[in-house]
């Protein structure tokens, strides 16, 4: 068994969860925050049999869009803080970690 740890944008979560549940995947949803943008995102924990991993990743891929987001950074030169400047980053579709599961118990 594998554990997929999947970080997605909040905007994609409802459709993604519906698609996962319809396709008989078990999923746990966590409210999380990205370290760079400091904005809310969502982390899903999905335990899947090894042969279903690629199917599950394809399902995630078709539900998660790339979007651009703007954040402000404060550049500093020799300790002097300058005016903050906007930078644009591309976020998502999804960040996926695939982990081995040693044991899966339901007690
Ligand atoms: P954030 O940390 O808020 O990052 C949002 C987006 O900002 C990232 O999109 C990336 O395009 C950019 N970014 C992140 N760190 C950066 C940095 N140090 N310098 C410049 N740009 C940076 P994604 O890569 O699609 O990541 C979306 C979210 O997935 C992240 O939100 C974070 O919550 C999570 N994530 C991504 N990679 C991760 C990793 N290696 N470990 C843990 N969480 C990760």
């Amino acid at each position: 068994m594998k554990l997929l740890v999947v970080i997605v944008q909040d905007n994609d979560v409802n459709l993604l969860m519906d698609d996962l549940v319809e396709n008989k995947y078990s999923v746990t949803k966590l409210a999380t925050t990205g370290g760079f943008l400091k904005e809310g995102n969502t982390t899903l924990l999905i335990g899947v049999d090894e042969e279903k991993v690629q199917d599950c990743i394809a399902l995630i891929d078709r539900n998660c869009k790339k979007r651009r987001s703007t954040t402000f950074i404060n550049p500093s030169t020799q300790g002097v803080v300058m005016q903050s400047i906007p930078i644009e980053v591309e976020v998502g579709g999804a960040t996926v970690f695939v982990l081995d599961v040693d044991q899966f118990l339901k007690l």
Side-chain angles (χ1 to χ4, degrees), residues 7 33-39 41 87 89-95 97:
I7 304 162
T33 303
F36 190 68
L37 295 178
K38 299 180 181 64
E39 286 175 0
N41 55 25
I87 60 162
V89 291
E90 186 173 79
V91 189
T95 300
F97 299 88

Side-chain angles (χ1 to χ4, degrees), residues 15-84:
L15 289 177
L16 173 58
M17 295 262 293
D18 288 349
D19 206 357
L20 285 166
V21 171
E22 260 171 43
N23 283 280
K24 312 278 183 253
Y25 290 104
S26 292
V27 55
T28 296
K29 175 184 167 192
L30 306 171
T32 47
T33 303
F36 190 68
L37 295 178
K38 299 180 181 64
E39 286 175 0
N41 55 25
T42 298
T43 299
L44 302 178
L45 304 180
I46 310 168
V48 290
D49 290 333
E50 203 152 345
E51 61 270 20
K52 299 288 284 179
V53 167
Q54 290 312 317
D55 175 78
C56 188
I57 288 173
L59 186 159
I60 293 163
D61 187 31
R62 70 173 176 257
N63 280 282
C64 295
K65 299 187 181 66
K66 287 186 183 359
R67 296 182 183 85
R68 300 200 71 78
S69 183
T70 304
T71 188
F72 289 83
I73 58 165
N74 290 308
S76 64
T77 314
Q78 292 167 346
V80 180
V81 178
M82 318 284 279
Q83 194 179 6
S84 61

